[in-house]
Amino acid sequence: MTVTPGSQPRIAATRVLDAVLHHGRSLKAELAGAQQELEDLRDRALVEAICLAVLRQPARFDAALAAWMPRPLARRDRELRALLLVGFAQLDPMGLPAHAAVAATVEAARGLGRDHQAGMVNALLRRALREGLPTSESHAHWPAWLRTRIEADWPADAASILAASEQAPPMWLRVNRQQGTRDTYRAELATAGIEGAVVEGLGDALRLDAPVPVAGLPGFADGRVSVQDGAAQRVIDAMPVRERMRVLDACAAPGGKAAHLLEREPGIELTALDIDRRRLRHVQATLDRLKLGADATLLAADATDLAAWWDGVPFDAIVLDAPCSATGIIRRQPDVLLHRRESDIDHLVALQGGLLDALWQTVAPGGALVYTTCSILRDENDRQVAAFLARTTDARAEPLDESFGRSPVSEIHGRQRLPGEDGMDGFFYARLRKAPASLGGE
């Protein structure tokens, strides 16, 4: 069969979505494989943009199929369903040139061996152009159990959380201050025709409201800049680090926070720990690109198994970016709504508590642990911290200011940012201080 250049990324996006929607696969993993087979960086970016657009609002596209098709698609036509969603997403919300999008998607049907259905694909996409796609509630594709939890935790904000989670986020950059200033890099972006906005309170960040391919960022390959959401960058602002401190990044992969720590204070003694040896290789690659690879010790081990990795020397500061439900970054990882189960939350809460209890033993008297998640569920966040404080006599929560987000309760056990606030992801932050030895530390 002949695959035309325009149809190739549509075929790739169709196969990714078929795997994610119908076979329970991970979007990140499927995208990585599909993009490797595409030489053109623009095609790689297009595949990712299409897949994210579909998975953020699948109910709209399914409503169109339900209204416009005489009978539901059979199980054997799941790939066709994925292709039709690819076609709809290009028209709305992506707004690609209609004629080219329709023609390339029809060609993709032929490239997938569905010549007999190419006419139907053409007819449905042209109907979408004439009539527009149906609207749907922001929560239509959310599991009922998760909606219920969000409504209980954030009754006044639930609707805005759901709506923000289906919108495309801006692109956030973190300028490597070891290789230049943010203002200098912003001027370089402007010379390249890229507009970057400075955000108050984020010393290393630039926000691009019109995302660009990573390869188009000046100096990216040389380690001058990284892509990292503004909310994730705020984690290091909560870290009390100084030169010669012994610091641990306890769940380090993929390496953004470890790198940010070293960019801020290259004189620290940093250990980057992760349970997954393969993901730890990504940490090393990140540090190498930023020319920081020689400044950290990387260890692969379960953080709760202290005997397997800890040498007994306490850490002055620890960042624990704990495994979580990822409910604050659904706009970036929309397949979370397909894969997450309610039973996962109890498991995650237990895991987070175990990590806190184990790592606290490694904090030096007077030292600090910053606990953070990309969740918006209070059981994983302020309630988790409150429970830890209740059972840990030498721990206290230090206040963080309002720039880190809102306080979920009147008694502050951390700060919460909700998805979309200030253009950032949903994130939770808490800083826990261990009592000095003279006051009853370990």
mmCIF file of all heavy atoms in Angstrom, residues 246-259 261-262 269-289 291-302 308-310 315:
data_model
loop_
_atom_site.group_PDB
_atom_site.id
_atom_site.type_symbol
_atom_site.label_atom_id
_atom_site.label_comp_id
_atom_site.label_asym_id
_atom_site.label_seq_id
_atom_site.Cartn_x
_atom_site.Cartn_y
_atom_site.Cartn_z
ATOM 1 N N ARG A 246 24.286 18.092 51.989
ATOM 2 C CA ARG A 246 24.042 16.743 51.485
ATOM 3 C C ARG A 246 22.558 16.641 51.182
ATOM 4 O O ARG A 246 21.710 16.775 52.076
ATOM 5 C CB ARG A 246 24.469 15.725 52.535
ATOM 6 C CG ARG A 246 24.359 14.269 52.119
ATOM 7 C CD ARG A 246 25.019 13.405 53.191
ATOM 8 N NE ARG A 246 24.547 12.034 53.154
ATOM 9 C CZ ARG A 246 25.093 11.066 52.413
ATOM 10 N NH1 ARG A 246 26.123 11.344 51.635
ATOM 11 N NH2 ARG A 246 24.618 9.841 52.473
ATOM 12 N N VAL A 247 22.214 16.430 49.911
ATOM 13 C CA VAL A 247 20.832 16.549 49.446
ATOM 14 C C VAL A 247 20.432 15.259 48.724
ATOM 15 O O VAL A 247 21.230 14.660 47.992
ATOM 16 C CB VAL A 247 20.673 17.760 48.499
ATOM 17 C CG1 VAL A 247 19.229 17.894 48.004
ATOM 18 C CG2 VAL A 247 21.114 19.043 49.202
ATOM 19 N N LEU A 248 19.178 14.856 48.912
ATOM 20 C CA LEU A 248 18.626 13.658 48.258
ATOM 21 C C LEU A 248 17.405 14.017 47.429
ATOM 22 O O LEU A 248 16.486 14.678 47.927
ATOM 23 C CB LEU A 248 18.226 12.614 49.310
ATOM 24 C CG LEU A 248 17.481 11.375 48.797
ATOM 25 C CD1 LEU A 248 18.407 10.497 47.950
ATOM 26 C CD2 LEU A 248 16.889 10.564 49.956
ATOM 27 N N ASP A 249 17.409 13.581 46.173
ATOM 28 C CA ASP A 249 16.189 13.570 45.348
ATOM 29 C C ASP A 249 15.710 12.125 45.366
ATOM 30 O O ASP A 249 16.285 11.248 44.728
ATOM 31 C CB ASP A 249 16.504 14.036 43.931
ATOM 32 C CG ASP A 249 15.265 14.110 43.047
ATOM 33 O OD1 ASP A 249 14.188 13.673 43.494
ATOM 34 O OD2 ASP A 249 15.378 14.565 41.897
ATOM 35 N N ALA A 250 14.628 11.861 46.112
ATOM 36 C CA ALA A 250 14.286 10.484 46.483
ATOM 37 C C ALA A 250 13.556 9.700 45.406
ATOM 38 O O ALA A 250 13.586 8.472 45.410
ATOM 39 C CB ALA A 250 13.455 10.490 47.769
ATOM 40 N N CYS A 251 12.862 10.346 44.516
ATOM 41 C CA CYS A 251 12.188 9.674 43.395
ATOM 42 C C CYS A 251 12.545 10.488 42.157
ATOM 43 O O CYS A 251 11.757 11.268 41.659
ATOM 44 C CB CYS A 251 10.676 9.610 43.614
ATOM 45 S SG CYS A 251 10.175 8.635 45.046
ATOM 46 N N ALA A 252 13.760 10.281 41.677
ATOM 47 C CA ALA A 252 14.412 11.284 40.826
ATOM 48 C C ALA A 252 13.960 11.307 39.380
ATOM 49 O O ALA A 252 14.013 12.353 38.735
ATOM 50 C CB ALA A 252 15.929 11.082 40.867
ATOM 51 N N ALA A 253 13.587 10.162 38.803
ATOM 52 C CA ALA A 253 13.260 10.126 37.371
ATOM 53 C C ALA A 253 12.055 11.020 37.061
ATOM 54 O O ALA A 253 11.121 11.083 37.870
ATOM 55 C CB ALA A 253 12.981 8.694 36.938
ATOM 56 N N PRO A 254 12.089 11.735 35.931
ATOM 57 C CA PRO A 254 13.087 11.698 34.846
ATOM 58 C C PRO A 254 14.261 12.656 35.008
ATOM 59 O O PRO A 254 15.067 12.781 34.101
ATOM 60 C CB PRO A 254 12.255 12.070 33.622
ATOM 61 C CG PRO A 254 11.230 13.008 34.157
ATOM 62 C CD PRO A 254 10.887 12.500 35.541
ATOM 63 N N GLY A 255 14.354 13.360 36.139
ATOM 64 C CA GLY A 255 15.558 14.129 36.407
ATOM 65 C C GLY A 255 15.413 15.632 36.464
ATOM 66 O O GLY A 255 16.392 16.334 36.724
ATOM 67 N N GLY A 256 14.230 16.163 36.245
ATOM 68 C CA GLY A 256 14.059 17.614 36.209
ATOM 69 C C GLY A 256 14.401 18.297 37.514
ATOM 70 O O GLY A 256 15.051 19.354 37.527
ATOM 71 N N LYS A 257 13.988 17.702 38.630
ATOM 72 C CA LYS A 257 14.234 18.359 39.918
ATOM 73 C C LYS A 257 15.690 18.232 40.339
ATOM 74 O O LYS A 257 16.265 19.162 40.902
ATOM 75 C CB LYS A 257 13.276 17.799 40.970
ATOM 76 C CG LYS A 257 11.821 18.134 40.649
ATOM 77 C CD LYS A 257 10.863 17.483 41.620
ATOM 78 C CE LYS A 257 9.421 17.788 41.181
ATOM 79 N NZ LYS A 257 9.079 17.151 39.881
ATOM 80 N N ALA A 258 16.301 17.073 40.081
ATOM 81 C CA ALA A 258 17.731 16.932 40.373
ATOM 82 C C ALA A 258 18.535 17.954 39.590
ATOM 83 O O ALA A 258 19.450 18.601 40.125
ATOM 84 C CB ALA A 258 18.189 15.508 40.039
ATOM 85 N N ALA A 259 18.199 18.109 38.318
ATOM 86 C CA ALA A 259 18.904 19.079 37.484
ATOM 87 C C ALA A 259 18.697 20.501 38.001
ATOM 88 O O ALA A 259 19.641 21.295 38.072
ATOM 89 C CB ALA A 259 18.432 18.960 36.041
ATOM 90 N N LEU A 261 18.051 21.469 41.018
ATOM 91 C CA LEU A 261 18.834 21.646 42.248
ATOM 92 C C LEU A 261 20.279 22.005 41.920
ATOM 93 O O LEU A 261 20.858 22.924 42.521
ATOM 94 C CB LEU A 261 18.788 20.365 43.082
ATOM 95 C CG LEU A 261 17.542 20.133 43.939
ATOM 96 C CD1 LEU A 261 17.482 18.685 44.404
ATOM 97 C CD2 LEU A 261 17.541 21.084 45.142
ATOM 98 N N LEU A 262 20.884 21.287 40.985
ATOM 99 C CA LEU A 262 22.282 21.536 40.635
ATOM 100 C C LEU A 262 22.463 22.834 39.871
ATOM 101 O O LEU A 262 23.504 23.491 39.986
ATOM 102 C CB LEU A 262 22.826 20.361 39.820
ATOM 103 C CG LEU A 262 23.013 19.062 40.607
ATOM 104 C CD1 LEU A 262 23.312 17.901 39.672
ATOM 105 C CD2 LEU A 262 24.109 19.212 41.650
ATOM 106 N N GLU A 269 26.106 18.278 47.579
ATOM 107 C CA GLU A 269 26.418 16.865 47.384
ATOM 108 C C GLU A 269 25.091 16.142 47.144
ATOM 109 O O GLU A 269 24.352 15.842 48.074
ATOM 110 C CB GLU A 269 27.119 16.308 48.621
ATOM 111 C CG GLU A 269 27.513 14.846 48.503
ATOM 112 C CD GLU A 269 28.099 14.297 49.797
ATOM 113 O OE1 GLU A 269 28.533 15.107 50.641
ATOM 114 O OE2 GLU A 269 28.093 13.059 49.965
ATOM 115 N N LEU A 270 24.772 15.892 45.879
ATOM 116 C CA LEU A 270 23.434 15.404 45.505
ATOM 117 C C LEU A 270 23.445 13.908 45.225
ATOM 118 O O LEU A 270 24.285 13.417 44.462
ATOM 119 C CB LEU A 270 22.930 16.149 44.266
ATOM 120 C CG LEU A 270 21.558 15.700 43.740
ATOM 121 C CD1 LEU A 270 20.459 16.048 44.736
ATOM 122 C CD2 LEU A 270 21.259 16.310 42.381
ATOM 123 N N THR A 271 22.476 13.231 45.803
ATOM 124 C CA THR A 271 22.190 11.837 45.470
ATOM 125 C C THR A 271 20.823 11.780 44.802
ATOM 126 O O THR A 271 19.840 12.305 45.343
ATOM 127 C CB THR A 271 22.181 10.947 46.722
ATOM 128 O OG1 THR A 271 23.471 10.975 47.326
ATOM 129 C CG2 THR A 271 21.828 9.503 46.360
ATOM 130 N N ALA A 272 20.761 11.175 43.613
ATOM 131 C CA ALA A 272 19.498 10.993 42.884
ATOM 132 C C ALA A 272 19.145 9.512 42.942
ATOM 133 O O ALA A 272 19.879 8.668 42.429
ATOM 134 C CB ALA A 272 19.639 11.466 41.446
ATOM 135 N N LEU A 273 18.022 9.220 43.566
ATOM 136 C CA LEU A 273 17.601 7.840 43.818
ATOM 137 C C LEU A 273 16.321 7.547 43.068
ATOM 138 O O LEU A 273 15.405 8.373 43.022
ATOM 139 C CB LEU A 273 17.368 7.662 45.324
ATOM 140 C CG LEU A 273 16.869 6.311 45.830
ATOM 141 C CD1 LEU A 273 17.962 5.251 45.720
ATOM 142 C CD2 LEU A 273 16.404 6.442 47.282
ATOM 143 N N ASP A 274 16.231 6.369 42.450
ATOM 144 C CA ASP A 274 14.978 5.947 41.819
ATOM 145 C C ASP A 274 14.911 4.429 41.816
ATOM 146 O O ASP A 274 15.935 3.749 41.686
ATOM 147 C CB ASP A 274 14.866 6.473 40.384
ATOM 148 C CG ASP A 274 13.419 6.495 39.909
ATOM 149 O OD1 ASP A 274 12.732 7.501 40.164
ATOM 150 O OD2 ASP A 274 12.973 5.491 39.325
ATOM 151 N N ILE A 275 13.701 3.902 41.942
ATOM 152 C CA ILE A 275 13.530 2.454 42.011
ATOM 153 C C ILE A 275 13.722 1.782 40.662
ATOM 154 O O ILE A 275 14.041 0.598 40.584
ATOM 155 C CB ILE A 275 12.131 2.118 42.593
ATOM 156 C CG1 ILE A 275 12.064 0.650 43.012
ATOM 157 C CG2 ILE A 275 11.035 2.467 41.585
ATOM 158 C CD1 ILE A 275 10.796 0.304 43.784
ATOM 159 N N ASP A 276 13.565 2.536 39.578
ATOM 160 C CA ASP A 276 13.597 1.984 38.233
ATOM 161 C C ASP A 276 14.945 2.301 37.578
ATOM 162 O O ASP A 276 15.238 3.446 37.240
ATOM 163 C CB ASP A 276 12.446 2.582 37.407
ATOM 164 C CG ASP A 276 12.264 1.897 36.058
ATOM 165 O OD1 ASP A 276 13.261 1.410 35.494
ATOM 166 O OD2 ASP A 276 11.126 1.871 35.555
ATOM 167 N N ARG A 277 15.755 1.267 37.389
ATOM 168 C CA ARG A 277 17.088 1.466 36.835
ATOM 169 C C ARG A 277 17.019 2.037 35.413
ATOM 170 O O ARG A 277 17.845 2.875 35.018
ATOM 171 C CB ARG A 277 17.846 0.138 36.817
ATOM 172 C CG ARG A 277 19.328 0.271 36.452
ATOM 173 C CD ARG A 277 20.029 -1.071 36.584
ATOM 174 N NE ARG A 277 19.963 -1.578 37.931
ATOM 175 C CZ ARG A 277 20.810 -1.258 38.903
ATOM 176 N NH1 ARG A 277 21.774 -0.389 38.647
ATOM 177 N NH2 ARG A 277 20.686 -1.773 40.111
ATOM 178 N N ARG A 278 16.032 1.622 34.633
ATOM 179 C CA ARG A 278 15.906 2.132 33.268
ATOM 180 C C ARG A 278 15.576 3.620 33.265
ATOM 181 O O ARG A 278 16.128 4.396 32.481
ATOM 182 C CB ARG A 278 14.835 1.353 32.510
ATOM 183 C CG ARG A 278 15.197 -0.100 32.224
ATOM 184 C CD ARG A 278 14.020 -0.843 31.667
ATOM 185 N NE ARG A 278 12.881 -0.819 32.601
ATOM 186 C CZ ARG A 278 11.675 -1.316 32.337
ATOM 187 N NH1 ARG A 278 11.424 -1.833 31.150
ATOM 188 N NH2 ARG A 278 10.714 -1.269 33.245
ATOM 189 N N ARG A 279 14.663 4.023 34.143
ATOM 190 C CA ARG A 279 14.313 5.443 34.211
ATOM 191 C C ARG A 279 15.475 6.274 34.750
ATOM 192 O O ARG A 279 15.613 7.452 34.422
ATOM 193 C CB ARG A 279 13.072 5.647 35.085
ATOM 194 C CG ARG A 279 11.809 4.980 34.536
ATOM 195 C CD ARG A 279 10.591 5.395 35.330
ATOM 196 N NE ARG A 279 10.229 6.775 35.024
ATOM 197 C CZ ARG A 279 9.702 7.621 35.913
ATOM 198 N NH1 ARG A 279 9.515 7.247 37.160
ATOM 199 N NH2 ARG A 279 9.379 8.840 35.557
ATOM 200 N N LEU A 280 16.319 5.650 35.565
ATOM 201 C CA LEU A 280 17.476 6.371 36.085
ATOM 202 C C LEU A 280 18.438 6.743 34.962
ATOM 203 O O LEU A 280 19.162 7.746 35.059
ATOM 204 C CB LEU A 280 18.175 5.509 37.140
ATOM 205 C CG LEU A 280 18.996 6.248 38.205
ATOM 206 C CD1 LEU A 280 18.131 7.216 38.988
ATOM 207 C CD2 LEU A 280 19.656 5.252 39.142
ATOM 208 N N ARG A 281 18.441 5.953 33.894
ATOM 209 C CA ARG A 281 19.268 6.311 32.744
ATOM 210 C C ARG A 281 18.800 7.619 32.121
ATOM 211 O O ARG A 281 19.609 8.378 31.571
ATOM 212 C CB ARG A 281 19.250 5.176 31.714
ATOM 213 C CG ARG A 281 20.038 3.950 32.168
ATOM 214 C CD ARG A 281 20.378 3.046 30.996
ATOM 215 N NE ARG A 281 19.213 2.344 30.472
ATOM 216 C CZ ARG A 281 18.834 1.141 30.849
ATOM 217 N NH1 ARG A 281 19.526 0.472 31.772
ATOM 218 N NH2 ARG A 281 17.776 0.556 30.313
ATOM 219 N N HIS A 282 17.485 7.889 32.186
ATOM 220 C CA HIS A 282 16.978 9.174 31.694
ATOM 221 C C HIS A 282 17.493 10.325 32.559
ATOM 222 O O HIS A 282 17.763 11.422 32.054
ATOM 223 C CB HIS A 282 15.452 9.171 31.673
ATOM 224 C CG HIS A 282 14.857 8.245 30.660
ATOM 225 N ND1 HIS A 282 15.007 8.421 29.308
ATOM 226 C CD2 HIS A 282 14.116 7.117 30.804
ATOM 227 C CE1 HIS A 282 14.397 7.463 28.655
ATOM 228 N NE2 HIS A 282 13.850 6.646 29.542
ATOM 229 N N VAL A 283 17.597 10.075 33.866
ATOM 230 C CA VAL A 283 18.147 11.099 34.758
ATOM 231 C C VAL A 283 19.576 11.420 34.359
ATOM 232 O O VAL A 283 19.965 12.594 34.254
ATOM 233 C CB VAL A 283 18.085 10.622 36.227
ATOM 234 C CG1 VAL A 283 18.710 11.676 37.149
ATOM 235 C CG2 VAL A 283 16.647 10.339 36.648
ATOM 236 N N GLN A 284 20.369 10.376 34.130
ATOM 237 C CA GLN A 284 21.762 10.591 33.734
ATOM 238 C C GLN A 284 21.839 11.354 32.413
ATOM 239 O O GLN A 284 22.657 12.274 32.258
ATOM 240 C CB GLN A 284 22.480 9.247 33.598
ATOM 241 C CG GLN A 284 23.979 9.378 33.331
ATOM 242 C CD GLN A 284 24.723 9.985 34.505
ATOM 243 O OE1 GLN A 284 24.765 9.399 35.584
ATOM 244 N NE2 GLN A 284 25.289 11.181 34.320
ATOM 245 N N ALA A 285 20.986 10.986 31.448
ATOM 246 C CA ALA A 285 21.000 11.669 30.163
ATOM 247 C C ALA A 285 20.628 13.142 30.320
ATOM 248 O O ALA A 285 21.218 14.023 29.667
ATOM 249 C CB ALA A 285 20.051 10.980 29.190
ATOM 250 N N THR A 286 19.656 13.425 31.181
ATOM 251 C CA THR A 286 19.260 14.811 31.432
ATOM 252 C C THR A 286 20.412 15.602 32.033
ATOM 253 O O THR A 286 20.720 16.718 31.595
ATOM 254 C CB THR A 286 18.047 14.854 32.373
ATOM 255 O OG1 THR A 286 16.915 14.271 31.717
ATOM 256 C CG2 THR A 286 17.709 16.278 32.779
ATOM 257 N N LEU A 287 21.053 15.034 33.034
ATOM 258 C CA LEU A 287 22.171 15.729 33.679
ATOM 259 C C LEU A 287 23.339 15.913 32.714
ATOM 260 O O LEU A 287 24.001 16.956 32.715
ATOM 261 C CB LEU A 287 22.618 14.955 34.917
ATOM 262 C CG LEU A 287 21.590 14.855 36.056
ATOM 263 C CD1 LEU A 287 22.154 14.024 37.203
ATOM 264 C CD2 LEU A 287 21.181 16.234 36.553
ATOM 265 N N ASP A 288 23.585 14.913 31.876
ATOM 266 C CA ASP A 288 24.681 15.030 30.905
ATOM 267 C C ASP A 288 24.403 16.150 29.909
ATOM 268 O O ASP A 288 25.318 16.922 29.559
ATOM 269 C CB ASP A 288 24.877 13.709 30.170
ATOM 270 C CG ASP A 288 25.506 12.635 31.044
ATOM 271 O OD1 ASP A 288 26.038 12.963 32.117
ATOM 272 O OD2 ASP A 288 25.428 11.444 30.664
ATOM 273 N N ARG A 289 23.154 16.239 29.426
ATOM 274 C CA ARG A 289 22.833 17.302 28.458
ATOM 275 C C ARG A 289 23.050 18.674 29.077
ATOM 276 O O ARG A 289 23.498 19.613 28.398
ATOM 277 C CB ARG A 289 21.378 17.163 27.999
ATOM 278 C CG ARG A 289 20.965 18.221 26.974
ATOM 279 C CD ARG A 289 19.506 18.068 26.550
ATOM 280 N NE ARG A 289 18.573 18.280 27.630
ATOM 281 C CZ ARG A 289 18.173 19.487 28.047
ATOM 282 N NH1 ARG A 289 18.629 20.599 27.487
ATOM 283 N NH2 ARG A 289 17.310 19.579 29.043
ATOM 284 N N LYS A 291 25.211 19.363 31.254
ATOM 285 C CA LYS A 291 26.614 19.449 31.708
ATOM 286 C C LYS A 291 26.716 19.403 33.228
ATOM 287 O O LYS A 291 27.571 20.072 33.853
ATOM 288 C CB LYS A 291 27.282 20.696 31.137
ATOM 289 C CG LYS A 291 27.329 20.685 29.605
ATOM 290 C CD LYS A 291 27.949 21.942 29.042
ATOM 291 C CE LYS A 291 28.123 21.857 27.519
ATOM 292 N NZ LYS A 291 26.876 21.552 26.805
ATOM 293 N N LEU A 292 25.851 18.589 33.836
ATOM 294 C CA LEU A 292 25.826 18.411 35.286
ATOM 295 C C LEU A 292 26.020 16.947 35.670
ATOM 296 O O LEU A 292 25.868 16.583 36.830
ATOM 297 C CB LEU A 292 24.479 18.904 35.855
ATOM 298 C CG LEU A 292 24.126 20.367 35.586
ATOM 299 C CD1 LEU A 292 22.662 20.633 35.933
ATOM 300 C CD2 LEU A 292 25.032 21.296 36.400
ATOM 301 N N GLY A 293 26.358 16.119 34.682
ATOM 302 C CA GLY A 293 26.381 14.680 34.905
ATOM 303 C C GLY A 293 27.389 14.209 35.923
ATOM 304 O O GLY A 293 27.219 13.158 36.538
ATOM 305 N N ALA A 294 28.455 14.990 36.122
ATOM 306 C CA ALA A 294 29.488 14.578 37.081
ATOM 307 C C ALA A 294 29.195 15.067 38.491
ATOM 308 O O ALA A 294 29.971 14.783 39.411
ATOM 309 C CB ALA A 294 30.852 15.107 36.618
ATOM 310 N N ASP A 295 28.088 15.790 38.675
ATOM 311 C CA ASP A 295 27.821 16.451 39.954
ATOM 312 C C ASP A 295 26.830 15.719 40.838
ATOM 313 O O ASP A 295 26.400 16.250 41.861
ATOM 314 C CB ASP A 295 27.300 17.874 39.695
ATOM 315 C CG ASP A 295 28.307 18.722 38.945
ATOM 316 O OD1 ASP A 295 29.518 18.476 39.115
ATOM 317 O OD2 ASP A 295 27.887 19.606 38.182
ATOM 318 N N ALA A 296 26.426 14.509 40.454
ATOM 319 C CA ALA A 296 25.436 13.769 41.244
ATOM 320 C C ALA A 296 25.812 12.299 41.305
ATOM 321 O O ALA A 296 26.424 11.755 40.392
ATOM 322 C CB ALA A 296 24.038 13.922 40.637
ATOM 323 N N THR A 297 25.400 11.662 42.407
ATOM 324 C CA THR A 297 25.517 10.214 42.552
ATOM 325 C C THR A 297 24.160 9.604 42.285
ATOM 326 O O THR A 297 23.174 9.979 42.939
ATOM 327 C CB THR A 297 25.980 9.840 43.965
ATOM 328 O OG1 THR A 297 27.259 10.420 44.215
ATOM 329 C CG2 THR A 297 26.061 8.331 44.124
ATOM 330 N N LEU A 298 24.066 8.684 41.330
ATOM 331 C CA LEU A 298 22.794 8.063 40.959
ATOM 332 C C LEU A 298 22.735 6.665 41.537
ATOM 333 O O LEU A 298 23.679 5.872 41.393
ATOM 334 C CB LEU A 298 22.633 8.013 39.437
ATOM 335 C CG LEU A 298 22.039 9.263 38.765
ATOM 336 C CD1 LEU A 298 22.891 10.488 39.018
ATOM 337 C CD2 LEU A 298 21.857 9.037 37.267
ATOM 338 N N LEU A 299 21.616 6.350 42.202
ATOM 339 C CA LEU A 299 21.425 5.045 42.822
ATOM 340 C C LEU A 299 20.077 4.475 42.407
ATOM 341 O O LEU A 299 19.065 5.184 42.413
ATOM 342 C CB LEU A 299 21.461 5.156 44.348
ATOM 343 C CG LEU A 299 22.768 5.634 45.000
ATOM 344 C CD1 LEU A 299 22.562 5.790 46.505
ATOM 345 C CD2 LEU A 299 23.893 4.673 44.700
ATOM 346 N N ALA A 300 20.049 3.187 42.070
ATOM 347 C CA ALA A 300 18.803 2.489 41.758
ATOM 348 C C ALA A 300 18.442 1.593 42.937
ATOM 349 O O ALA A 300 19.148 0.622 43.238
ATOM 350 C CB ALA A 300 18.962 1.652 40.490
ATOM 351 N N ALA A 301 17.355 1.938 43.633
ATOM 352 C CA ALA A 301 16.929 1.164 44.800
ATOM 353 C C ALA A 301 15.544 1.629 45.220
ATOM 354 O O ALA A 301 15.079 2.706 44.846
ATOM 355 C CB ALA A 301 17.915 1.334 45.968
ATOM 356 N N ASP A 302 14.883 0.801 46.020
ATOM 357 C CA ASP A 302 13.611 1.160 46.651
ATOM 358 C C ASP A 302 13.918 2.092 47.814
ATOM 359 O O ASP A 302 14.649 1.730 48.748
ATOM 360 C CB ASP A 302 12.926 -0.118 47.142
ATOM 361 C CG ASP A 302 11.586 0.143 47.809
ATOM 362 O OD1 ASP A 302 11.280 1.308 48.139
ATOM 363 O OD2 ASP A 302 10.840 -0.833 48.033
ATOM 364 N N ALA A 308 19.390 -1.077 51.600
ATOM 365 C CA ALA A 308 19.844 -1.344 50.234
ATOM 366 C C ALA A 308 20.607 -0.179 49.622
ATOM 367 O O ALA A 308 21.313 -0.375 48.627
ATOM 368 C CB ALA A 308 18.647 -1.696 49.356
ATOM 369 N N TRP A 309 20.486 1.033 50.208
ATOM 370 C CA TRP A 309 21.110 2.170 49.535
ATOM 371 C C TRP A 309 21.702 3.232 50.454
ATOM 372 O O TRP A 309 22.640 3.941 50.065
ATOM 373 C CB TRP A 309 20.098 2.861 48.614
ATOM 374 C CG TRP A 309 18.943 3.501 49.349
ATOM 375 C CD1 TRP A 309 17.766 2.911 49.698
ATOM 376 C CD2 TRP A 309 18.873 4.845 49.845
ATOM 377 N NE1 TRP A 309 16.962 3.793 50.386
ATOM 378 C CE2 TRP A 309 17.611 4.992 50.475
ATOM 379 C CE3 TRP A 309 19.735 5.928 49.801
ATOM 380 C CZ2 TRP A 309 17.207 6.178 51.070
ATOM 381 C CZ3 TRP A 309 19.336 7.125 50.397
ATOM 382 C CH2 TRP A 309 18.077 7.234 51.013
ATOM 383 N N TRP A 310 21.206 3.352 51.700
ATOM 384 C CA TRP A 310 21.648 4.479 52.548
ATOM 385 C C TRP A 310 22.921 4.114 53.286
ATOM 386 O O TRP A 310 23.008 3.041 53.902
ATOM 387 C CB TRP A 310 20.544 4.862 53.526
ATOM 388 C CG TRP A 310 20.834 6.088 54.331
ATOM 389 C CD1 TRP A 310 21.425 7.233 53.894
ATOM 390 C CD2 TRP A 310 20.550 6.289 55.717
ATOM 391 N NE1 TRP A 310 21.526 8.146 54.920
ATOM 392 C CE2 TRP A 310 20.996 7.600 56.049
ATOM 393 C CE3 TRP A 310 19.950 5.510 56.702
ATOM 394 C CZ2 TRP A 310 20.868 8.133 57.324
ATOM 395 C CZ3 TRP A 310 19.818 6.035 57.981
ATOM 396 C CH2 TRP A 310 20.269 7.335 58.293
ATOM 397 N N PHE A 315 20.923 13.317 55.559
ATOM 398 C CA PHE A 315 20.789 14.352 54.530
ATOM 399 C C PHE A 315 20.300 15.648 55.162
ATOM 400 O O PHE A 315 19.416 15.639 56.029
ATOM 401 C CB PHE A 315 19.810 13.911 53.444
ATOM 402 C CG PHE A 315 20.295 12.748 52.624
ATOM 403 C CD1 PHE A 315 19.879 11.459 52.914
ATOM 404 C CD2 PHE A 315 21.179 12.939 51.570
ATOM 405 C CE1 PHE A 315 20.325 10.378 52.178
ATOM 406 C CE2 PHE A 315 21.634 11.870 50.820
ATOM 407 C CZ PHE A 315 21.209 10.592 51.122
#
